[in-house]
Amino acid sequence: MSVLYGKFSGTPMTYNDEQMQMIRDDDVMLFYEGVKMTTQNVHPCRDYVLVKLDKDKLETESGVVIAAAVTKDYMPCVGTVFKIGEGRMCSTGEFTPSLVRMVDILCSSEVSN
């Protein structure tokens, strides 16, 4: 099993002369089986939601064209829910389901990217 975790999560360490990263289980965002992560084998953990980002639009609703150079550092913040984790664990040890559903359209703040 392979996992994906946050860029700043964990502590680098050497174990049996190999570079490793020590992380907490809460730092794991998703996991997958196999050599390569695909849309079929990826599973978000806990309350994480995997979102398929919309393609960049270089034209506004009113027809104004935006130069690609202006948007080169812009990360899209609108997307469709693709996969949902099992939910957030509450104090009883049970998971509460996510409030979002498959095919919901989300818009996150640019700061969270």
Side-chain angles (χ1 to χ4, degrees), residues 37-71:
M37 183 172 37
T38 66
T39 56
Q40 290 79 28
N41 70 358
V42 67
H43 304 282
C45 294
R46 296 171 308 283
D47 59 342
Y48 284 105
V49 176
L50 187 59
V51 176
K52 182 177 182 180
L53 297 177
D54 290 351
K55 299 268 188 226
D56 287 340
K57 294 181 182 178
L58 296 179
E59 187 173 323
T60 66
E61 298 288 329
S62 61
V64 176
V65 178
I66 304 167
V70 173
T71 62

Side-chain angles (χ1 to χ4, degrees), residues 35 72 84 98:
V35 177
K72 69 177 180 162
I84 303 169
S98 177

Side-chain angles (χ1 to χ4, degrees), residues 6 15-18 23 26 29 31 33 43 45-47 59 70 72 76 80 85 92 97 99 101 105 110 113:
Y15 179 75
N16 288 338
D17 295 327
E18 290 186 54
I23 61 171
D26 284 345
M29 294 184 286
F31 64 94
E33 297 286 342
H43 304 282
C45 294
R46 296 171 308 283
D47 59 342
E59 187 173 323
V70 173
K72 69 177 180 162
T80 305
T92 63
L99 298 176
R101 299 285 172 243
I105 297 174
E110 207 172 328
N113 288 330

Side-chain angles (χ1 to χ4, degrees), residues 45-48 85-91 93-98:
C45 294
R46 296 171 308 283
D47 59 342
Y48 284 105
E86 56 193 332
R88 185 171 290 201
M89 186 177 288
C90 62
S91 60
E94 297 177 8
F95 287 99
T96 57
S98 177

